Amino acid sequence: MYGIPVSRNYIEAQYLIGVDYLLGNKVAQDYTQALEWFQKSASEDYAPAQDVIGCMYSYGFGVDQDYVKAFEWCLKAAEQDYDIAQNNVAYLYKEGFGVLQDNSKAFEWYQKASEQDNADAHYELGNFYSEGIGVEIDKDKANYYYHKAACKGHLEAEQCLQKNNELPQEDKNSNKKVVEEADNHIESIDFESDGSISFKTFFDNYFRDESKMLPQNPGGGVWFYESMDFDESSKFYDKASAVREKNDYMIDTTYADFIIDTSFTRNFGVGLFLHVHQNSYQFHLKNDTKDWEILNDIEEAYYSESDKALYIEDYKINLIGDVARFYGKRLVECINAYLNQNELDKIDEEIVSNSELVTDALDNIDDRLTEINQKLNDLREDSAA
């Protein structure tokens, strides 16, 4: 808990206590208590608290899901020039959640957030100009906004620039040595003993971009450990170690290769840790108030567009934020492609094995017929005698 006396109306402290209850940081997770503290702070017009209340109504955390109330609360924060809330208002206008769908209004609010150098807003404006959503298609303006977002580490914007062939040549040719090492690494991890492709190999190939590198940490509650520099990896290790200690060392999150953190503050309160071993994988899963669960093998994974959630087996993981949802979808595609690939490999192996049996039989058929005829002749001679 934060030791600032809220009786003195420290509205930021009230908000932070709400965050503690929301995520279960040093207290039992309690959405009702979280909402009460956010409301105390929001009553003093503290924009981050107003925005989080809007998010709670949007996702139905501790309250009945209500997009109208979500829009009302996010709008209060957005009107105070809080860029994250401006993004949320734009999104609600774009999707028509809690308010009449209006691309022009969505564009206006994304512009307001973009003026505050919000990377997600830059990216969305790029999409508006690229796809002609409420504005005329303008590839130059689209690339301008994609570039602004990419400069702030927005991975999807960077991918759009690559697709549009707008990255500087020196960026395309950088890290050649690292690329070669990555290629060698992938080639060194080949097949499991039963002939199926290891998940490590499949995962690496599926998520690496054209430069053969895993994407840089894209934000939005998504991390690729391999892409972290020393300072980032140190901070990550400290956070992951705290999660591990909090759960009595029953789970190992400190060596996760890929993380989707679904909490509001990206503090590992809830989410998915994927640890990819050389020939296997393990998911550490926690969603909202549920205990941590560990999955070593899976047979089903899918993404639900209706509730913006990732499902692994029967386990639901709410994905908060566009980046988390993007990688949630990619992970589902990777898992299903891996499962399908191994199933196809097994079928191919059976076909090859059966084909070899038939071929061997046909190769020896003449010898076998000669042997049978000889035995028949011997029997005839014995019978005549």
Side-chain angles (χ1 to χ4, degrees):
M1 295 287 287
Y2 296 88
I4 305 175
V6 295
S7 59
R8 293 177 57 186
N9 205 29
Y10 281 85
I11 58 176
E12 183 177 358
Q14 293 170 332
Y15 165 76
L16 293 174
I17 291 173
V19 170
D20 278 341
Y21 277 113
L22 181 67
L23 303 178
N25 289 336
K26 303 180 183 178
V27 293
Q29 190 174 46
D30 189 327
Y31 288 143
T32 302
Q33 285 279 5
L35 184 61
E36 289 180 7
W37 282 106
F38 287 139
Q39 286 174 331
K40 291 176 189 290
S41 183
S43 67
E44 300 291 337
D45 288 332
Y46 189 58
Q50 293 171 334
D51 182 60
V52 171
I53 292 173
C55 291
M56 292 183 75
Y57 275 111
S58 180
Y59 290 100
F61 288 169
V63 294
D64 291 334
Q65 190 176 51
D66 189 328
Y67 285 121
V68 173
K69 288 185 178 179
F71 178 80
E72 291 173 355
W73 279 105
C74 289
L75 183 61
K76 288 181 180 181
E79 288 175 339
Q80 297 188 66
D81 291 331
Y82 184 47
D83 62 314
I84 296 175
Q86 290 171 337
N87 257 351
N88 289 334
V89 168
Y91 173 77
L92 293 171
Y93 267 121
K94 180 183 175 184
E95 299 297 329
F97 291 159
V99 67
L100 187 64
Q101 199 277 337
D102 191 328
N103 286 330
S104 295
K105 289 284 188 182
F107 183 82
E108 289 176 12
W109 281 106
Y110 279 132
Q111 276 189 317
K112 292 177 186 291
S114 175
E115 289 168 2
Q116 300 189 65
D117 205 20
N118 184 289
D120 289 330
H122 296 328
Y123 170 70
E124 290 296 340
L125 289 176
N127 288 339
F128 270 64
Y129 280 113
S130 179
E131 300 170 21
I133 303 174
V135 294
E136 291 185 7
I137 292 177
D138 190 326
K139 295 299 183 183
D140 290 336
K141 286 184 179 179
N143 287 328
Y144 167 76
Y145 282 109
Y146 285 147
H147 186 265
K148 292 187 72 172
C151 287
K152 294 183 69 66
H154 198 292
L155 179 65
E156 291 170 279
E158 185 176 331
Q159 291 172 338
C160 289
L161 286 174
Q162 289 176 334
K163 182 179 179 181
N164 296 340
N165 200 32
E166 288 293 332
L167 280 181
Q169 191 64 35
E170 58 269 19
D171 289 347
K172 295 177 183 177
N173 295 329
S174 64
N175 297 325
K176 286 186 177 180
K177 182 178 179 181
V178 179
V179 171
E180 291 172 359
E181 290 175 354
D183 277 335
N184 293 335
H185 173 66
I186 291 174
E187 290 172 2
S188 68
I189 305 172
D190 203 356
F191 294 94
E192 295 186 27
S193 58
D194 63 358
S196 60
I197 301 173
S198 74
F199 189 79
K200 173 64 175 174
T201 302
F202 202 91
F203 174 86
D204 283 349
N205 286 329
Y206 206 85
F207 277 87
R208 289 178 189 274
D209 59 24
E210 292 179 357
S211 70
K212 306 301 181 185
M213 296 287 291
L214 287 175
Q216 296 298 309
N217 301 325
V222 179
W223 289 266
F224 288 91
Y225 186 78
E226 183 181 309
S227 302
M228 297 180 186
D229 60 26
F230 179 78
D231 290 337
E232 287 178 319
S233 61
S234 297
K235 291 177 182 178
F236 166 79
Y237 186 85
D238 290 341
K239 281 188 176 183
S241 297
V243 171
R244 191 177 181 218
E245 181 179 0
K246 184 178 178 180
N247 289 275
D248 298 323
Y249 301 96
M250 297 297 292
I251 59 169
D252 188 0
T253 56
T254 52
Y255 295 101
D257 294 80
F258 174 57
I259 305 96
I260 298 178
D261 179 7
T262 65
S263 64
F264 284 107
T265 59
R266 306 172 192 170
N267 198 32
F268 300 160
V270 291
L272 177 151
F273 293 75
L274 170 60
H275 184 191
V276 182
H277 306 272
Q278 179 162 329
N279 290 316
S280 63
Y281 58 90
Q282 189 174 74
F283 291 99
H284 302 287
L285 308 170
K286 185 174 186 289
N287 193 51
D288 302 339
T289 59
K290 293 183 180 179
D291 294 329
W292 283 89
E293 295 186 17
I294 298 176
L295 294 177
N296 294 313
D297 294 295
I298 59 173
E299 296 179 358
E300 182 182 22
Y302 67 95
Y303 176 80
S304 171
E305 289 285 356
S306 59
D307 54 6
K308 310 295 184 185
L310 164 65
Y311 288 83
I312 298 181
E313 300 295 344
D314 294 327
Y315 201 91
K316 178 181 178 183
I317 304 168
N318 292 314
L319 299 179
I320 298 176
D322 290 340
V323 178
R325 283 191 283 270
F326 173 79
Y327 280 102
K329 292 178 184 178
R330 291 288 291 147
L331 183 59
V332 166
E333 292 170 0
C334 178
I335 290 170
N336 289 329
Y338 172 71
L339 294 174
N340 292 335
Q341 178 63 49
N342 278 339
E343 193 62 33
L344 290 172
D345 287 343
K346 291 176 182 176
I347 293 172
D348 288 342
E349 286 177 8
E350 289 181 10
I351 292 173
V352 170
S353 177
N354 292 335
S355 175
E356 289 174 350
L357 289 173
V358 173
T359 301
D360 290 343
L362 290 175
D363 287 343
N364 298 324
I365 194 68
D366 291 337
D367 293 339
R368 184 65 176 149
L369 287 172
T370 301
E371 182 182 349
I372 291 170
N373 286 326
Q374 182 61 48
K375 287 186 177 181
L376 286 172
N377 290 330
D378 291 343
L379 286 171
R380 290 191 188 99
E381 291 175 359
D382 289 343
S383 179

